[in-house]
Amino acid sequence: MRHLLGIEDLSREEVVRLLDTAEAMLEISQREIKRVPTLRGRTVINLFLEPSTRTRVSFEIAAKRLSADAVNVSAAGSSLSKAETLADMARNLAAMNADVLVVRDRTAGVPQMLAERVRVPVINAGDGAHEHPTQGLLDAFTVRQALGGIEGRSIAIVGDIAHSRVARSDVHVFTKLGAEVRLAGPPTMIPVGIEQLGVKPCSSLDEALDGADVVCMLRIQQERLEGALFPGVREYARCWGLTRARLARARPDAIVLHPGPINRGVEIASDVADSEPSRILDQVTNGVAVRMAALYLLTGADS
Amino acid sequence: MMSVPRTPGEESEPRPGAPRPCRTVLDAQGIARASKRMAHEIAERNPGCERLALVAIPAGGVPVAELLSEHLAEIAGRKIPLGVLDVTLYRDDVIGRGTRPVPQRTRMPFSAAGARVVLVEDVVFTGRTVRAAMDAVLDFGRPEVIQIASLVDRGHRELPIQVDFVGKNIPTARAERVELRRSAAGEYEVVVT
Amino acid sequence: MSRLRILGARVLDPSRGVDERLALDIEDGRIAALEPSPVGPADQTLEVDGLWLVPGLVDLHTHLRDPGQEYKEDIESGTRAAAAGGYTRVCCMANTDPVNDSPAVTEFIQRRARQVAHVRVQVIAAATQGLRGEIMSEMASLAEAGAVAFSDDGHPIMDAGVMRRVLEYASGIDRTVISHCEDLRLRGSGVVHEGSHATCCGLPGAPAEAETVMVARDLELARLTGARLHIAHVSAARSVQMIAEAREAGVRVTAEVTPHHLALSDQEILGYDTNTKMAPPLRPARDREALLDGLAQGHLDCVATDHAPHALYEKDVEYSAAPFGIVGLETALPVLLELVRTERLGALQAIDVLSTRPARVLGLPAGTLEPGAPADLALIDPERIWKVDASALHSRSKNSPWLGRELQGRAVRTWVGGRLVHDLDEETRA
């Protein structure tokens, strides 16, 4: 495993390895001295061409817990194409002598295109609507932590599937680990051909929640209103928002995930987000552990 | 299983493809006797087992530490704190080995600050693992003292590490492998291959 | 008055249904004779054992980028690429800078072509001013200046009312309107075909209906106005169906398909190579099959390359931001020859759709080897294997999806008016 560009390309063994390694990393995060010397002297460059505070901070903490130096390069608001070509970007990064590149971009394919042009491992921190592999992994880790396993479980993913890289990574990771994955959302937000990924599209939220072990709620973005994709947050909340009442259709011990940040009262009701079934804060903690695992495993096979 | 004893220190290069000759240097009873003696030595060096804590280095150090813990509990009349400390992330030789090993579980249910820590290994060889373990322990607090207990000391140090409590000194050739494993009968034994 | 004789070639002339070994003589820029055995003396003889000799290929859809974007391509380099691809006549589209919506620009292109072009250049002028789709261009003046057809290619004419008037007016001066059928609203931010591959890649997709909706509209308008409509770069199965039905009903419609839509499918986008990004996009295999059938059965009249050069630094960016388009003048022939090898098309049929039929669509004096016709010819080695790389391509830009791959079949000589404009062997010797 030279890069972590997407979960689609990983074998089941590689996924399990990442999760098992994350277990050890989680323990480090719980110590008083939250640091091990493993990546001492290595440089991690966080190339965030799409702004993000949460994911970037998570990667930064992960790098520092492994004693690596984290450097943030952002190009907020400007797209790659206005700034420079991929080849130029790759050359500049190479000149900085980084050991790992963590890349986020608002369009799909950029981490892969950079990985083809640089000589260091690349971690995809989210590329357009394509994948967000560390999010998928931390979601899987959280489910494994809460329920003991993933095989045979029913997992409902709800929301704007078409534009969600989190949804795609979740679909890949959960199907690879043997869960039944159901998708639900407004018809305008279910992408063409999604059944080919081995998931079960549901026509309503209730159908998806019925007997589910895990409910992943996706964030609905205001910008989607412009594309005439749905009429507004009020109707969205009525039809697709997760409330206590609707959650009752899931299994009694079902857990709730959300990649954050949450739109309270839209896709998820406040009382659900703050209650027992919610593992949203665990996701954040586990995110650091999973990213530490990714940094650790990818920096191994070099000379 | 005993085979013809070899002259100590003799370099043995097995023929390629030939099964490596294997000799047991400590069987189950030998291990039991050695660990009992080591426990007494530890208790002697740490009067009253005050603030004593065992920290096992997985994987081999764990069964040894469990044996020591049993004996020490008898000697001290109470349970001695026992932790398991994975040192994979502290090693200096992980880079360039190819695929990274997945770290094992660490359980340190006590603070090392002010403790009289005994690091427990199955086999001490170059000393690098023990050095990594010392770095790891220090991240859990400042111990009063760190001592090292190992079932087997096979020599060939690359770092100035000494074993305070040894089960058995076994001279070996560098190319040989020494490991604690379970026999076909399910009992622990130390074999040299 | 020197006479060149080409001996031993397999002569394929779709205009007269000829496919046999003949000797062909060129004199004075024209085809002087075409006989089973040579008659009379010749000053120069070229022995070409078994190579194919065909009418020079005709491209109805090329972007020469000249004036204004010469860093991508210009009239000289673009026609050099054409010659290397076996083309003797190309029609260049109007989305230059400035847009070719005035006789001045048309005249500039033609003058420049006379100076530096390696092959014949015909001008397709803009249908609306500035390609804005609002006010029609001065079509009569443009036609007088030499424009052979009108098109806003690169941009669809979104306003049906405007399109209707453009068709009517063009009809009045007996010119064809070439339509780029794409509903921009349906396309939205789509950069690839909306299907399972787009979903997996996370790239925004546009459904085939973005094309078919406009094809349907333009066919209706062509029926209403009785005008001649040519549909550019057909890519969807449903488009082929509608064109066939309309033609059956008497609509004066013709249509073209690109080599890349005949050869590739949307699976190519996996991997994010921006040389797989063009408009209309590559589609699933079933659309490709429909295009192949359509071409074989004549519902689609001809092949046109939509040669669209872009600089390397323009394409070497994230997929969504990269400009649409690929070069195609030099790869059209091997791609079509592959269809002959896999028996999707006959040999004569392949040359027909590359040469004779395109000429017929716009009424151009090309695509024939009839004695007396201008000596616009290509000599093809169908067996020659070559690697598509930067050094092999003559175009200034190298944005081809076949970059790095090997293709089989290549033009080894091209003559325009009896003048040798391309000699592959000379080139490889140098």
Side-chain angles (χ1 to χ4, degrees):
Chain A
M1 186 177 71
R2 175 138 174 72
H3 304 285
L4 181 57
L5 300 173
I7 300 190
E8 190 179 4
D9 320 309
L10 297 180
S11 68
R12 194 201 146 100
E13 287 66 40
E14 285 169 325
V15 171
V16 172
R17 225 161 134 251
L18 276 156
L19 297 180
D20 289 343
T21 305
E23 294 268 9
M25 300 304 183
L26 184 64
E27 186 272 317
I28 292 166
S29 297
Q30 289 158 346
R31 297 182 189 178
E32 203 175 307
I33 295 188
K34 302 172 188 33
R35 201 182 180 100
V36 288
T38 325
L39 292 188
R40 193 171 63 94
R42 311 284 208 123
T43 305
V44 175
I45 293 192
N46 288 327
L47 183 63
F48 275 61
L49 300 164
E50 180 188 35
S52 148
T53 310
R54 304 153 62 93
T55 306
R56 205 201 54 201
V57 167
S58 184
F59 269 105
E60 218 183 305
I61 294 177
K64 288 177 172 169
R65 292 211 172 139
L66 292 170
S67 297
D69 297 316
V71 174
N72 297 321
V73 175
S74 64
S78 71
S79 77
L80 189 84
S81 56
K82 290 197 196 89
E84 56 195 321
T85 63
L86 286 160
D88 279 333
M89 176 150 290
R91 273 191 278 271
N92 282 325
L93 291 167
M96 291 187 225
N97 285 322
D99 295 285
V100 186
L101 283 181
V102 176
V103 182
R104 167 173 282 202
D105 195 278
R106 57 168 45 89
T107 66
V110 171
Q112 173 161 349
M113 295 160 102
L114 276 176
E116 286 162 7
R117 290 162 172 75
V118 298
R119 281 213 283 265
V120 296
V122 174
I123 298 180
N124 178 5
D127 64 331
H130 176 226
E131 284 224 44
H132 191 359
T134 55
Q135 180 74 42
L137 289 166
L138 75 88
D139 287 348
F141 187 90
T142 308
V143 172
R144 200 170 85 157
Q145 187 184 56
L147 303 181
I150 292 173
E151 180 98 35
R153 302 290 188 167
S154 287
I155 304 190
I157 305 177
V158 181
D160 183 359
I161 312 286
H163 298 95
S164 171
R165 52 187 171 223
V166 173
R168 279 167 183 74
S169 288
D170 277 348
V171 163
H172 290 305
V173 81
F174 288 126
T175 52
K176 243 179 248 282
L177 295 174
E180 180 216 30
V181 177
R182 311 159 179 186
L183 298 182
T188 49
M189 292 173 159
I190 303 291
V192 174
I194 195 75
E195 326 73 49
Q196 309 223 3
L197 294 181
V199 301
K200 182 172 161 250
C202 298
S203 53
S204 70
L205 176 61
D206 288 338
E207 192 191 331
L209 291 178
D210 205 14
D213 295 284
V214 179
V215 183
C216 297
M217 300 306 294
L218 299 173
R219 182 184 159 73
I220 188 72
Q221 277 163 303
Q222 281 290 110
E223 303 91 80
R224 301 299 165 216
L225 273 172
E226 271 126 57
L229 289 162
F230 74 104
V233 292
R234 192 172 60 184
E235 176 143 318
Y236 187 89
R238 261 189 83 218
C239 300
W240 305 98
L242 185 66
T243 59
R244 273 229 168 269
R246 302 192 87 157
L247 184 57
R249 290 189 81 101
R251 291 178 53 98
D253 52 353
I255 61 170
V256 175
L257 303 182
H258 190 301
I262 60 181
N263 281 321
R264 285 172 180 276
V266 182
E267 69 261 5
I268 186 167
S270 268
D271 61 346
V272 175
D274 299 330
S275 67
E276 221 299 290
S278 158
R279 295 290 192 269
I280 295 174
L281 294 176
D282 288 336
Q283 285 174 279
V284 177
T285 310
N286 295 336
V288 175
V290 159
R291 288 163 182 139
M292 287 170 72
L295 287 169
Y296 167 70
L297 289 172
L298 285 183
T299 49
D302 53 357
S303 45
Chain B
M1 184 199 88
M2 297 287 275
S3 50
V4 178
R6 230 172 301 155
T7 315
E10 181 183 25
E11 208 72 30
S12 57
E13 292 298 345
R15 283 188 329 259
R20 296 175 74 103
C22 171
R23 62 179 205 275
T24 308
V25 291
L26 263 184
D27 60 11
Q29 289 98 303
I31 291 173
R33 278 198 301 275
S35 60
K36 192 157 185 197
R37 176 182 44 79
M38 285 163 72
H40 281 281
E41 288 174 7
I42 292 170
E44 213 179 281
R45 191 92 68 86
N46 297 278
C49 295
E50 294 288 329
R51 300 180 299 284
L52 185 64
L54 295 177
V55 175
I57 301 173
V62 176
V64 178
E66 280 166 356
L67 281 171
L68 291 177
S69 172
E70 254 178 64
H71 295 306
L72 283 168
E74 276 172 34
I75 298 168
R78 59 182 163 81
K79 269 187 76 78
I80 306 297
L82 170 58
V84 178
L85 182 58
D86 181 82
V87 302
T88 314
L89 300 172
Y90 290 82
R91 298 185 69 92
D92 62 6
D93 56 352
V94 191
I95 298 157
R97 261 222 242 139
T99 324
R100 297 270 216 190
V102 176
Q104 311 207 33
R105 267 244 120 113
T106 288
R107 262 184 335 271
M108 287 288 286
F110 53 87
S111 164
R116 298 181 67 84
V117 169
V118 176
L119 288 173
V120 183
E121 256 285 43
D122 56 343
V123 180
V124 173
F125 181 24
T126 59
R128 292 190 189 272
T129 306
V130 171
R131 192 238 23 113
M134 286 201 283
D135 276 352
V137 163
L138 291 171
D139 274 355
F140 283 85
R142 187 181 186 279
E144 185 183 316
V145 65
I146 296 181
Q147 301 152 82
I148 300 168
S150 182
L151 189 59
V152 170
D153 182 343
R154 64 172 289 201
H156 298 288
R157 292 286 190 281
E158 289 170 6
L159 296 175
I161 300 285
Q162 70 173 32
V163 181
D164 300 290
F165 311 104
V166 191
K168 183 162 187 179
N169 281 296
I170 298 173
T172 57
R174 223 191 174 293
E176 288 177 306
R177 273 175 50 190
V178 182
E179 48 182 347
L180 175 71
R181 66 169 196 204
R182 287 197 119 102
S183 69
E187 294 184 317
Y188 277 108
E189 60 180 6
V190 177
V191 297
V192 177
T193 43
Chain C
M1 283 222 215
S2 153
R3 196 169 179 103
L4 167 67
R5 176 165 294 157
I6 303 171
L7 272 182
R10 174 181 173 186
V11 173
L12 293 128
D13 183 355
S15 73
R16 299 186 306 146
V18 169
D19 179 359
E20 55 189 294
R21 215 169 166 104
L22 296 170
L24 186 145
D25 286 3
I26 300 174
E27 189 166 8
D28 226 3
R30 295 195 170 268
I31 296 173
L34 191 58
E35 302 290 339
S37 318
V39 177
D43 302 282
Q44 219 191 328
T45 303
L46 187 61
E47 301 256 13
V48 295
D49 184 29
L51 298 184
W52 299 9
L53 191 57
V54 305
L57 308 187
V58 176
D59 193 18
L60 295 182
H61 194 147
T62 293
H63 297 272
L64 292 179
R65 307 295 191 205
D66 191 351
Q69 296 177 311
E70 295 85 352
Y71 65 94
K72 301 186 204 236
E73 190 88 281
D74 60 27
I75 290 170
E76 191 278 321
S77 65
T79 54
R80 182 70 192 87
Y87 283 87
T88 53
R89 188 180 296 252
V90 297
C91 305
C92 60
M93 285 294 181
N95 57 340
T96 47
D97 178 17
V99 168
N100 184 8
D101 62 2
S102 71
V105 180
T106 297
E107 275 155 21
F108 166 82
I109 294 173
Q110 289 176 142
R111 190 170 56 245
R112 191 91 188 105
R114 277 195 295 276
Q115 289 165 356
V116 303
H118 298 268
V119 306
R120 302 183 201 273
V121 175
Q122 314 257 208
V123 168
I124 297 173
T128 67
Q129 291 180 22
L131 303 175
R132 282 187 296 274
E134 293 161 5
I135 304 174
M136 66 174 84
S137 61
E138 297 171 304
M139 287 196 247
S141 308
L142 286 161
E144 215 180 285
V148 296
F150 297 99
S151 178
D152 272 9
D153 182 70
H155 305 266
I157 298 177
M158 288 293 289
D159 187 326
V162 171
M163 183 63 176
R164 180 227 176 138
R165 300 302 177 198
V166 163
L167 282 166
E168 273 176 352
Y169 198 87
S171 179
I173 52 169
D174 195 28
R175 287 288 187 277
T176 301
V177 175
I178 302 178
S179 182
H180 169 118
C181 291
E182 187 181 30
D183 186 312
L184 295 177
R185 294 292 162 82
L186 269 177
R187 186 186 97 179
S189 56
V191 296
V192 291
H193 173 83
E194 186 185 86
S196 56
H197 294 305
T199 295
C200 274
C201 277
L203 288 170
E209 283 71 11
E211 171 177 298
T212 61
V213 151
M214 286 295 245
V215 168
R217 182 199 80 171
D218 287 352
L219 288 171
E220 290 289 275
L221 294 176
R223 190 169 50 78
L224 173 66
T225 59
R228 281 212 308 271
L229 171 71
H230 177 77
I231 302 194
H233 43 53
V234 175
S235 70
R238 184 86 187 99
S239 300
V240 179
Q241 202 177 16
M242 291 193 286
I243 291 166
E245 284 163 8
R247 208 201 297 265
E248 184 80 19
V251 176
R252 298 165 81 197
V253 59
T254 53
E256 71 191 32
V257 61
T258 66
H260 50 271
H261 285 106
L262 291 170
L264 306 171
S265 74
D266 65 343
Q267 193 160 22
E268 301 284 326
I269 67 173
L270 305 170
Y272 303 100
D273 178 4
T274 54
N275 288 334
T276 61
K277 180 178 178 181
M278 75 289 291
L282 297 172
R283 303 219 188 260
R286 63 166 184 280
D287 289 285
R288 201 186 72 210
E289 280 303 309
L291 295 172
L292 283 165
D293 283 339
L295 186 65
Q297 288 167 41
H299 304 310
L300 300 174
D301 298 76
C302 63
V303 166
T305 66
D306 196 1
H307 176 90
H310 292 292
L312 178 60
Y313 68 83
E314 293 176 307
K315 279 288 208 178
D316 190 26
V317 293
E318 63 263 50
Y319 202 96
S320 291
F324 291 93
I326 56 167
V327 291
L329 284 168
E330 298 172 79
T331 48
L333 188 56
V335 168
L336 269 286
L337 289 175
E338 182 63 24
L339 296 177
V340 174
R341 273 189 287 272
T342 53
E343 295 178 5
R344 297 307 298 258
L345 290 175
L348 198 60
Q349 198 178 16
I351 304 304
D352 195 19
V353 298
L354 282 168
S355 179
T356 311
R357 294 182 134 258
R360 197 171 295 157
V361 164
L362 287 187
L364 305 171
T368 178
L369 294 178
E370 192 167 34
D376 292 355
L377 312 141
L379 184 66
I380 299 170
D381 181 355
E383 308 297 320
R384 189 169 304 206
I385 294 178
W386 57 290
K387 185 156 183 206
V388 180
D389 57 24
S391 58
L393 294 174
H394 298 76
S395 169
R396 179 160 297 148
S397 296
K398 318 291 179 183
N399 48 319
S400 169
W402 285 283
L403 212 52
R405 300 195 217 179
E406 279 188 341
L407 291 177
Q408 188 174 22
R410 212 170 181 189
V412 294
R413 302 274 193 286
T414 308
W415 292 267
V416 173
R419 189 170 50 94
L420 188 64
V421 295
H422 169 66
D423 185 342
L424 184 63
D425 297 320
E426 181 71 47
E427 218 176 82
T428 43
R429 258 198 300 275

